[in-house]
Amino acid sequence: MVNIISIKSALRPSRIKTRNLDITSIDPTSITAGNNAVSVRCRISGRKGYWLLKCYFRHKPHLEQIYYKAYYPNELCVRSIGGSEEYIDVVALPWVEGKSLDWYIGRHDTDYAAVFNRLELLYLLLDY
């Protein structure tokens, strides 16, 4: 069974085994986990800059419709304690530098209704 610990272990430079993506480096300080995935900043051969690699430990049926070409099904090899291998889905997106929304909200006197309204407007403008 794939879990957060097994994915973090699979993201060690000496252990990375993928099917299509050639991951050349991992930023171990950037590894975060939550909501069905482990995320990490990395470099991918043939691509400029840093990339967000989001590794899903639970099946999410609509990832391909959401991420299109950024979605790589059965991409990252994760090994269990017993040594069996399982490939999990990943998403690779360009890394965006900046402060997270929770960092901003937690450090400012925030009008939460205004933040919600702006995010709702952004969502409508993106035309999903």
Side-chain angles (χ1 to χ4, degrees):
M1 181 175 154
V2 176
N3 58 38
I4 293 170
I5 294 168
S6 60
I7 293 174
K8 285 182 176 183
S9 178
L11 291 172
R12 282 192 245 154
S14 62
R15 299 186 114 190
I16 296 173
K17 181 179 174 184
T18 57
R19 292 192 167 157
N20 299 300
L21 297 172
D22 182 13
I23 299 168
T24 58
S25 69
I26 294 285
D27 176 1
T29 64
S30 70
I31 296 176
T32 59
N35 199 19
N36 306 312
V38 173
S39 299
V40 65
R41 183 171 85 155
C42 67
R43 288 196 183 267
I44 300 173
S45 180
R47 300 182 184 192
K48 293 182 180 181
Y50 286 103
W51 288 77
L52 166 69
L53 189 68
K54 196 166 184 182
C55 311
Y56 288 87
F57 54 86
R58 290 197 186 117
H59 177 67
K60 304 291 277 183
H62 302 294
L63 289 177
E64 187 171 16
Q65 290 85 4
I66 296 168
Y67 293 109
Y68 306 105
K69 292 180 182 180
Y71 172 65
Y72 294 86
N74 300 310
E75 178 64 21
L76 178 67
C77 180
V78 178
R79 293 171 189 89
S80 71
I81 292 175
S84 64
E85 296 182 345
E86 182 177 342
Y87 283 84
I88 61 170
D89 301 341
V90 303
V91 171
L93 298 166
W95 182 266
V96 177
E97 286 293 336
K99 303 227 183 312
S100 64
L101 182 60
D102 62 333
W103 179 91
Y104 181 82
I105 289 175
R107 285 165 177 76
H108 293 84
D109 182 20
T110 304
D111 178 354
Y112 296 105
V115 171
F116 174 80
N117 289 335
R118 287 185 179 167
L119 290 173
E120 185 176 43
L121 178 60
L122 177 62
Y123 176 78
L124 293 172
L125 291 173
L126 291 175
D127 193 34
Y128 281 106

